[in-house]
Amino acid sequence: MSGQLIMQRRTALGLAGAAVLMGATRASAQSASWTRVEELAAEFIAKGYSPGVSIAATRNGQSIYAKGFGTANLETGASVSPASVFRIGSITKQFTGAALALLEAEGKLSLNDRLAKYLPAFPGASEVTLLQMLHHTSGYGNYTNQPDRAEFYRFAREDFSPQALEDMMRDKTNPMFTFSPGTDWAYSNTAYVLLGRVIERVTGAPYAEFFAKRLFAPAGLIATAVDDEEDIVTNRASGYSAKKGDPKAFTNAPFISMTVPGAAGNMRSTTEDLCRWHTALLSGKVLPPAALKRMLEPGLLNNGKLPQVPDDPTKPTEKKPLSYGLGLFTRDVEGRKFVEHGGGIFGFISALGSFPAEKISVSVLTNSDAGEREGYMAAQKALVAAANRAALGL
């Protein structure tokens, strides 16, 4: 889940001849841009960063690019295609945010409610609001940050009932709070797992059912679901980790029960479906206008200001304002507003972002979590940035 769990974007010419020339020039530039994306995808695979990559981009809901590269399953040799289904990790969080925004719009809850209204026995529940949890300003710690990774891998294999998962959050989140609610910003998978439990308390059904009926169906998603290892999934991509001692080889990623990431990161999807989701969400097909505005508004601290966080983890004292809504970051890319979220879960790294004004969405999915390999993170960032630029026609 976003790196925490590994488990985190004219005017027409009057003359027909000039219009044709301009169209040809743009098509040529765009083609060259996608050629660069394909070169980077090929390099990404050749350098042992991932067996496969899937990339899709849409404009106004229409596909402008969709292609798979490399291998979806190293044992069968199946190739990646735009229809390949990947686990998406923390991209799940925006679905959780949308679900809660929709429930608020329908009068079923208020995001200003205290967690204690729904989970009264959970530590600190009377001090924390649902909105703070959505904004990562609640102060709750992160159950995926275990000092003993072997212990994390052990309990990640277990299946948890909803109540047992809530109990596990209490047991494994240490420290329970890293700061007082509303005074700072820190990514918390614990908070989002608990928000899934809130959805279930309010609706009286598994949040997977609410997602399917109220989010996936209105958005026209055809390959997206809350994942379950028991499901037979056509075109499912397998997830891989780096093999120690070999810079280009892989092992099967450690097993993780999809009950463990919960509403913080347990969904599966395709690049095409994710672009379809953002198109529907940002065009108002999923949420009423006020709820969509609520989802995109950045969370503020108790002092009324945006959180300040390091832009570069290697320079912790150099901080910049952070805009994070309900499971979505907002920032500037190529001088344009960009809303996005990435994700990471055993065997997979994901990225989804949109330029709302241009009505462009881009998704890049890979089936490895080999982030420890030298150059991996820079290469993944470059690949996503190149796809964004190509979609913009730059």
Side-chain angles (χ1 to χ4, degrees):
M1 299 176 215
S2 192
Q4 299 291 332
L5 181 53
I6 299 260
M7 187 212 32
Q8 253 285 43
R9 65 306 150 230
R10 299 167 179 170
T11 302
L13 296 175
L15 298 176
V20 171
L21 178 61
M22 179 63 75
T25 300
R26 286 178 179 169
S28 176
Q30 189 172 46
S31 176
S33 296
W34 285 115
T35 297
R36 179 56 181 155
V37 171
E38 293 178 3
E39 291 172 349
L40 289 173
E43 289 177 11
F44 198 80
I45 294 168
K47 290 182 177 180
Y49 294 143
S50 180
V53 177
S54 180
I55 303 173
T58 59
R59 182 186 295 111
N60 291 318
Q62 300 300 310
S63 177
I64 56 176
Y65 187 86
K67 192 169 182 178
F69 306 83
T71 308
N73 185 290
L74 292 173
E75 293 169 312
T76 66
S79 298
V80 173
S81 76
S84 295
V85 179
F86 295 70
R87 288 178 175 171
I88 61 173
S90 282
I91 290 178
T92 301
K93 288 182 172 67
Q94 62 196 267
F95 290 87
T96 301
L100 286 158
L102 185 56
L103 288 169
E104 182 179 59
E106 295 176 345
K108 307 282 182 60
L109 58 74
S110 168
L111 298 186
N112 293 318
D113 288 340
R114 303 281 175 171
L115 178 61
K117 184 173 180 179
Y118 308 98
L119 304 178
F122 199 81
S126 63
E127 306 170 42
V128 171
T129 68
L130 304 184
L131 192 59
Q132 288 171 333
M133 295 168 70
L134 286 160
H135 287 156
H136 294 301
T137 60
S138 67
Y140 273 130
N142 202 338
Y143 77 103
T144 60
N145 289 347
Q146 294 293 321
D148 183 354
R149 297 307 292 174
E151 167 63 10
F152 179 69
Y153 289 136
R154 186 199 64 74
F155 74 73
R157 302 179 69 88
E158 299 179 25
D159 289 330
F160 291 87
S161 68
Q163 183 59 55
L165 183 64
E166 182 182 329
D167 294 340
M168 191 261 277
M169 293 300 103
R170 180 185 296 106
D171 181 51
K172 300 298 184 181
T173 303
N174 186 22
M176 181 59 69
F177 282 92
T178 58
F179 52 82
S180 297
T183 62
D184 204 346
W185 190 95
Y187 199 85
S188 175
N189 287 311
T190 292
Y192 269 78
V193 169
L194 295 173
L195 289 168
R197 292 286 291 134
V198 171
I199 295 170
E200 293 177 333
R201 290 291 178 91
V202 172
T203 65
Y207 63 83
E209 293 183 11
F210 188 84
F211 282 15
K213 294 177 182 178
R214 304 301 307 279
L215 303 180
F216 305 161
L221 307 188
I222 58 177
T224 301
V226 170
D227 200 14
D228 187 324
E229 310 82 40
E230 294 183 351
D231 293 344
I232 302 299
V233 180
T234 302
N235 298 316
R236 184 193 282 273
S238 298
Y240 298 95
S241 297
K243 184 175 183 179
K244 298 186 185 303
D246 190 326
K248 294 186 178 181
F250 295 95
T251 64
N252 288 313
F255 178 82
I256 180 171
S257 164
M258 284 291 96
T259 65
V260 172
N266 68 353
M267 283 176 51
R268 63 175 189 252
S269 190
T270 67
T271 50
E272 291 183 311
D273 244 19
L274 289 176
C275 288
R276 194 174 289 119
W277 158 251
H278 258 203
T279 297
L281 175 68
L282 298 174
S283 65
K285 293 182 179 179
V286 177
L287 300 177
L292 178 58
K293 180 181 178 182
R294 177 80 139 161
M295 188 169 180
L296 297 176
E297 285 178 343
L300 304 178
L301 301 180
N302 293 343
N303 61 11
K305 297 180 180 181
L306 289 172
Q308 299 280 325
V309 301
D311 189 49
D312 182 346
T314 66
K315 302 175 181 178
T317 60
E318 298 180 14
K319 297 184 178 183
K320 294 183 179 180
L322 178 79
S323 294
Y324 191 92
L326 310 188
L328 283 169
F329 292 95
T330 300
R331 57 191 179 93
D332 288 338
V333 170
E334 301 294 343
R336 298 163 174 84
K337 181 180 179 180
F338 188 63
V339 295
E340 56 92 18
H341 210 290
I345 194 165
F346 297 175
F348 300 89
I349 298 292
S350 56
L352 170 65
S354 290
F355 298 92
E358 292 77 13
K359 299 182 179 179
I360 287 173
S361 297
V362 182
S363 180
V364 179
L365 303 178
T366 64
N367 60 332
S368 87
D369 58 16
E372 71 272 20
R373 285 192 167 155
E374 185 177 358
Y376 175 96
M377 297 310 297
Q380 195 265 353
K381 183 177 179 180
L383 179 59
V384 172
N388 288 336
R389 286 179 57 81
L392 290 167
L394 300 178

